Amino acid sequence: MTIDAFGNIEVFGYDGVLAIGDTHITERTGRRIDDFSTAILGKVDQAADVAIERNLFPVHLGDLFNRARENSLELLARTAASLQRFPLPVGMGLPVVVGSHDPVETTLTDKDAMQLLATFGRVFPMGKPGKVLTLVLNSGERVGLWVTPAGSRVPERIDAEPGTHNIMFTHHDFDFNGLYPDAHELHEIEGCDLMINGHMHKATPMVLKGRTACHNPGSLARVKVDERNHKPVVSVWTPAHGLSLEAVPLKFAEHVFDMTGKEVYAADDRTLKANLPKGLSLSRFAAKYRQRDSLEAGRTDDGSVLAEELDGYFQMTAAPDNLRRYMANMLAEVVEARKAA
């Protein structure tokens, strides 16, 4: 790695790039019933294995943590150990696009977990829009790595160096042919070959806008019930891939969600009526059952179900990211205060 007098960074010795989706590292999230921190750090370790085996420069697409101020020292230590496994130049932490969950305020501060890991050299936060560095691959080809973090406008064009491949890493809501209603419309970024997006957890097909191939590979983490069918992958790019990405599947467990109140199976009405207690109608039974299930689903120690419902509301109303962050962190503070009481 070299840095010239103008602060331009050049990194040598890799064969390509590895894109790593949102991880939302935390001890427990949403309706997950497994050991979420062990599961997600296991996927981080798998991503590091792919980077090592295929000699790829790793880039995380944002939302490293589920909460900006994740304060479990044990979890932070385990996260740092996993991040240390990535093959990176001496003195450089894992490059991470600053996502919507990573800072409480508009930029990282010393109170945020990602900034703490950056201080110890485990993370290289990419929080300012623009060019970050140039990769000089073993093939001799040059690759410009650009970033548009959460809350910044994705540009219409970039000042690409002639004869280079250029990749823009983003963390935004995009429509991807209508799969995400009310999201921002995709557009060509003049001078940019690929745009690789985080934030949107479900994988979507590539969309070609002019000369820019727009990709959304999806998250490593499955934090909500509606993501249970998503299959986590990491994405490989080398010059041989052109405008495409190669999805490398990761190992994951299938059934990790509490589905209380979320799954309904069809049954014969006559059979149901025959088995009801005397005097209880089917409609009254259904009402009581729904009431019981909603109470059971809401009983969590960490406010995760409420957080899930809030997130669903924010998506329906297209609430801005700063409001989402504010409400999520307010809920986290209430939960911490309740635990301490």
Side-chain angles (χ1 to χ4, degrees):
M1 181 174 69
T2 63
I3 304 176
D4 66 20
F6 300 99
N8 299 311
I9 302 173
E10 288 190 336
V11 175
F12 302 83
Y14 294 90
D15 294 321
V17 177
L18 182 71
I20 303 161
D22 303 27
T23 47
H24 289 271
I25 297 168
T26 189
E27 292 182 321
R28 184 174 186 270
T29 182
R31 292 172 174 264
R32 294 285 295 240
I33 57 177
D34 60 340
D35 183 346
F36 180 78
S37 61
T38 297
I40 191 60
L41 289 175
K43 293 183 182 64
V44 174
D45 288 337
Q46 290 182 61
D49 290 339
V50 175
I52 293 167
E53 291 166 6
R54 301 183 63 166
N55 192 35
L56 302 171
F57 184 81
V59 177
H60 191 293
L61 300 176
D63 285 353
L64 178 66
F65 289 102
N66 196 49
R67 297 185 303 168
R69 295 178 180 173
E70 195 69 53
N71 56 14
S72 166
L73 294 180
E74 179 185 358
L75 182 63
L76 291 172
R78 293 171 62 201
T79 301
S82 289
L83 298 182
Q84 190 176 14
R85 299 187 61 246
F86 284 95
L88 288 160
V90 176
M92 175 181 281
L94 177 66
V96 180
V97 180
V98 175
S100 52
H101 281 239
D102 294 317
V104 171
E105 301 171 20
T106 54
T107 58
L108 290 174
T109 70
D110 290 339
K111 296 180 180 179
D112 297 321
M114 187 191 291
Q115 186 59 44
L116 174 65
L117 292 183
T119 301
F120 289 98
R122 295 293 180 263
V123 169
F124 174 41
M126 300 185 293
K128 294 182 179 180
K131 187 176 180 180
V132 178
L133 55 84
T134 298
L135 286 178
V136 183
L137 301 180
N138 288 331
S139 62
E141 297 181 76
R142 298 172 66 85
V143 184
L145 301 189
W146 301 71
V147 66
T148 305
S152 298
R153 185 181 62 85
V154 178
E156 302 287 334
R157 64 180 302 276
I158 59 174
D159 295 323
E161 178 185 336
T164 63
H165 305 276
N166 288 276
I167 304 175
M168 173 70 75
F169 298 97
T170 60
H171 190 93
H172 287 269
D173 280 317
F174 287 112
D175 56 9
F176 278 91
N177 287 339
L179 293 178
Y180 282 80
D182 300 319
H184 298 295
E185 184 178 352
L186 289 165
H187 63 268
E188 179 183 11
I189 306 171
E190 184 182 344
C192 182
D193 301 296
L194 292 89
M195 185 197 79
I196 306 177
N197 186 55
H199 188 58
M200 298 164 60
H201 289 193
K202 298 177 185 177
T204 55
M206 183 192 83
V207 175
L208 188 62
K209 287 292 183 178
R211 297 183 179 181
T212 304
C214 303
H215 295 270
N216 189 80
S219 65
L220 266 63
R222 292 171 296 156
V223 296
K224 293 184 292 186
V225 169
D226 66 354
E227 297 163 3
R228 64 189 182 278
N229 294 324
H230 168 64
K231 300 186 183 333
V233 302
V234 288
S235 301
V236 175
W237 179 88
T238 69
H241 288 84
L243 296 179
S244 300
L245 295 178
E246 175 190 350
V248 179
L250 301 181
K251 296 177 183 177
F252 67 98
E254 290 281 356
H255 305 294
V256 293
F257 287 96
D258 174 7
M259 299 301 296
T260 302
K262 290 291 185 179
E263 290 188 328
V264 178
Y265 300 94
D268 179 68
D269 281 354
R270 288 174 297 179
T271 303
L272 284 173
K273 290 177 181 178
N275 286 280
L276 284 176
K278 187 177 181 180
L280 183 63
S281 69
L282 192 59
S283 59
R284 284 181 58 206
F285 172 77
K288 288 180 178 293
Y289 192 80
R290 282 197 300 269
Q291 182 182 35
R292 188 201 70 176
D293 274 0
S294 66
L295 288 173
E296 287 182 354
R299 290 170 183 159
T300 59
D301 294 330
D302 61 355
S304 53
V305 171
L306 177 57
E308 180 182 313
E309 297 300 325
L310 276 174
D311 189 61
Y313 172 77
F314 288 148
Q315 289 183 15
M316 286 190 297
T317 57
D321 279 339
N322 59 349
L323 177 59
R324 298 188 192 195
R325 288 198 301 269
Y326 177 80
M327 293 301 293
N329 282 285
M330 179 180 289
L331 175 59
E333 289 177 4
V334 170
V335 170
E336 290 302 322
R338 183 175 176 272
K339 288 180 180 179

